[in-house]
């Protein structure tokens, strides 16, 4: 008699008995669950696993489709794999680097020894379609890490994987294969290429744009949006990283092991300060500018950017005066509600926009105003609680907040009086050439550390709220980022290595029976690739101090 185990399926709250060693694909086929765009992966006891995964014990299983963050990532990684396979088939001596998330897709740097043409893009797209239509199995291999290193050492274009795997200290490694082409990905993949029902491939600048289905509406590709400024910031940082020879986590780990962490910190900090000084000079040299607007998503470092920019503005002969948008919140009872009926503090209309514009006009007309003060405990605004303010000659107003680039926020102020800065943590280092680091992961780790240290908030609670925060960003921040006069990348080359030491113990506190455990486990796995750097060499004015503590600025 065959041994069986019990699987509790969260999707339909049914329990099924399956033979020991069954794959998740086998279990789904008898579960009675129906999914139009899935399953692409599953949560097994609140840890994401691929559909290749075999069960040997009683488990709780929730199947995931492409509309979930984890499922969407699995779909996108599988597309990366097919793209890399297609490039290898057509250009045996060439390779592709999965580089930058941009325009609702991913910019891929195709390196074939010459300029990329439309014909190249067409050939690759057609080859990808052939691989997908031929329903090739995506095979999962688990072996001792030294064997995986040997596999990838045979291919010169996989040197970044070799460097990564040699440095992480894992006993065993999982890699994937399509028809003899091997690759490594740090998350789950699909089981067959035929599951990739939709993608796009376009020529984009000097490379490719891999377009992917929208997570919210997976029947269509994400809309291409113009993000020239964002793209240039990424490219600028890549050019700098190429000069110093650190483009992947494997490169960074090697430098840390060789004792070069201090130099990396000093150069990164100097580069960031140089950028801030350049922005201050641009403001000072812009005729008629009376106000600097600084926007960016959660945990992008807007506050420290504002403080450091204010210092640089003073060196240019200007006196920065700051208004806090937090004090312009409407009374809590008047705050808009979101689709769940909760107060939507991310909404533009959670702010008293008419009062803000009235005060700005009065200030720029030379009048004195009385600032409001918002009491977060009572949820009430004190109209005269913030004291008096009047702008003097050479004063420049600095306004920081998530809505600062939204034209409606300051619609009564002429554009020529504004200088707009968009700040975000645009992670430019890659895990390896086929594994990028989501910029949202960088910000989430910053927020987890800061919330735990200064707001009494557990990693579980921060992770639980993150989906709502991201939805607010997509609605209220990202559509306006290209309105910026300049973009400022607040991410630093070394920061994930510094965050690691503080984030890991906080993430380990998330219990296995919590839904948030899946995300905590994923972040811990990601951090395991990175060698830690002690924060003692980081200066007190560093932007990362806003999250780690030890800053010389007051928050």
């Amino acid at each position: 008699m065959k041994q069986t185990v019990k699987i509790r399926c969260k999707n339909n709250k049914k329990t099924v008995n399956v033979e020991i060693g069954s794959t998740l694909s086998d279990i789904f086929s008898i579960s009675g669950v129906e999914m139009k765009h899935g399953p692409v992966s599953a949560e097994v006891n609140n840890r994401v696993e691929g559909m290749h995964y075999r069960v040997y014990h009683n488990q709780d299983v929730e199947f995931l489709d492409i509309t979930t963050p984890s499922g969407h990532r699995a779909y996108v990684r599988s597309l990366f794999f097919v793209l890399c396979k297609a490039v290898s088939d057509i250009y045996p001596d060439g390779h592709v680097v999965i580089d930058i998330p941009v325009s609702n897709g991913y910019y891929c740097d195709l390196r074939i020894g010459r300029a990329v043409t439309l014909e190249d893009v067409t050939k690759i797209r057609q080859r990808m379609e052939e691989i997908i239509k031929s329903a090739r199995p995506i095979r999962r291999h688990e072996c001792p890490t030294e064997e995986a290193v040997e596999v990838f050492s045979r291919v010169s274009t996989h040197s970044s994987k070799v460097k990564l795997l040699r440095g992480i200290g894992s006993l065993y490694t999982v890699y994937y294969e399509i028809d003899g082409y091997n690759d490594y990905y740090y998350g789950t993949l699909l089981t067959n290429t035929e599951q990739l029902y939709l993608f796009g491939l376009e020529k984009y600048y000097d490379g490719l744009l891999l377009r992917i289905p929208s997570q919210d509406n997976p029947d269509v590709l994400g809309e291409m949006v113009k993000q020239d400024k964002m793209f240039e910031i990424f490219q600028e940082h890549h050019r700098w990283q190429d000069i110093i020879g650190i483009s992947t986590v494997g490169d960074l780990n090697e430098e840390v092991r060789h004792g070069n962490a201090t130099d990396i910190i000093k150069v990164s900090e100097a580069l960031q300060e140089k950028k801030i000084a350049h922005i201050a000079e641009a403001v000072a040299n812009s005729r008629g500018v009376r106000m600097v607007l600084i926007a960016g998503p959660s945990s992008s470092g807007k506050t420290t950017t504002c403080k450091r920019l204010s210092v640089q503005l003073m060196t240019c002969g200007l006196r920065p005066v700051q208004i806090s948008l937090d004090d312009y919140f409407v009374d809590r009872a008047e705050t808009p509600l979101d689709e769940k009926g909760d107060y939507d503090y991310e909404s533009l209309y959670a702010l008293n926009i008419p009062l803000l514009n009235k005060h700005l006009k009065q200030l720029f007309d030379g009048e004195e105003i009385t600032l409001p003060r918002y009491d977060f405990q009572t949820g009430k605004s004190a109209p005269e609680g913030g004291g008096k303010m009047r702008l003097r000659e050479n004063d420049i107003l600095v306004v920081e907040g998530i809505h600062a680039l939204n034209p409606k926020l300051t619609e009564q102020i002429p554009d020529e009086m504004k200088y707009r800065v968009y700040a975000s943590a645009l992670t430019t280092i890659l895990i390896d050439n086929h594994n990028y680091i989501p910029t949202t992961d960088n910000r989430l780790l910053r927020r987890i550390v800061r919330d735990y240290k200064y707001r009494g908030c557990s990693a579980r609670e921060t992770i639980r709220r993150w989906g709502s925060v991201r939805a607010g960003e997509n609605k209220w921040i990202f559509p306006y980022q290209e309105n910026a006069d300049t973009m400022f990348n607040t991410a630093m080359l070394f920061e994930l290595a510094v965050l690691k030491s503080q984030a890991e113990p906080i993430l380990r506190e998330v219990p296995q029976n919590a839904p948030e455990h899946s995300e905590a486990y994923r972040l811990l796995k990601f951090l395991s690739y990175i060698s830690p750097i002690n924060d003692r060499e980081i200066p007190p004015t560093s932007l990362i101090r806003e999250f780690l503590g030890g800053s010389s600025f007051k928050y």
Side-chain angles (χ1 to χ4, degrees), residues 140-285:
R140 179 184 185 273
H141 300 285
E142 186 169 5
C143 66
T145 297
E146 62 267 24
E147 289 184 20
V149 168
E150 175 60 27
V151 167
F152 293 119
S153 295
R154 298 176 195 141
V155 183
S156 61
T157 54
H158 283 336
S159 59
S160 66
K161 299 183 190 301
V162 172
K163 188 178 290 188
L164 178 73
L165 294 176
R166 279 178 173 161
I168 60 177
S170 295
L171 191 60
Y172 279 81
T173 292
V174 171
Y175 68 92
Y176 293 88
E177 176 222 334
I178 299 176
D179 280 355
Y181 177 79
N182 302 305
D183 211 343
Y184 175 80
Y185 293 92
Y186 87 97
T188 63
L189 270 66
L190 306 182
T191 59
N192 196 290
T193 61
E194 67 177 346
Q195 295 170 278
L196 297 167
Y197 65 95
L198 181 65
F199 79 97
L201 194 70
E202 320 281 346
K203 190 173 187 305
Y204 195 83
Y205 289 90
D206 56 349
L208 314 171
L209 181 70
L210 181 63
R211 300 180 64 196
I212 58 177
S214 165
Q215 185 177 324
D216 296 328
N217 182 9
D219 288 318
V220 301
L221 293 173
E223 181 184 358
M224 285 185 68
V225 293
K226 188 176 181 181
Q227 291 188 307
D228 295 346
K229 294 173 184 175
M230 180 75 71
F231 184 78
E232 176 52 34
I233 286 291
F234 272 113
Q235 292 291 72
E236 179 183 290
H237 276 257
H238 279 322
R239 289 192 290 268
W240 172 70
Q241 287 172 205
D242 286 342
I243 291 172
I244 65 171
I246 301 176
S247 59
T248 68
V249 167
D251 296 331
L252 177 62
N253 290 345
E254 199 170 71
E255 292 297 316
V256 171
R257 285 195 297 272
H258 291 160
N260 297 327
T262 299
D263 289 342
I264 293 170
I265 291 170
K266 288 177 179 176
V267 173
S268 298
E269 292 287 351
L271 178 69
Q272 203 167 80
E273 191 62 30
K274 182 178 180 181
K275 282 290 176 185
I276 294 171
H278 178 76
I279 294 171
E281 289 171 2
V283 171
N285 293 331

Side-chain angles (χ1 to χ4, degrees), residues 67 122 149 175 226 246 270 309 427 473:
T67 64
T122 300
V149 168
Y175 68 92
K226 188 176 181 181
I246 301 176
L309 180 60
T427 318
E473 293 169 352

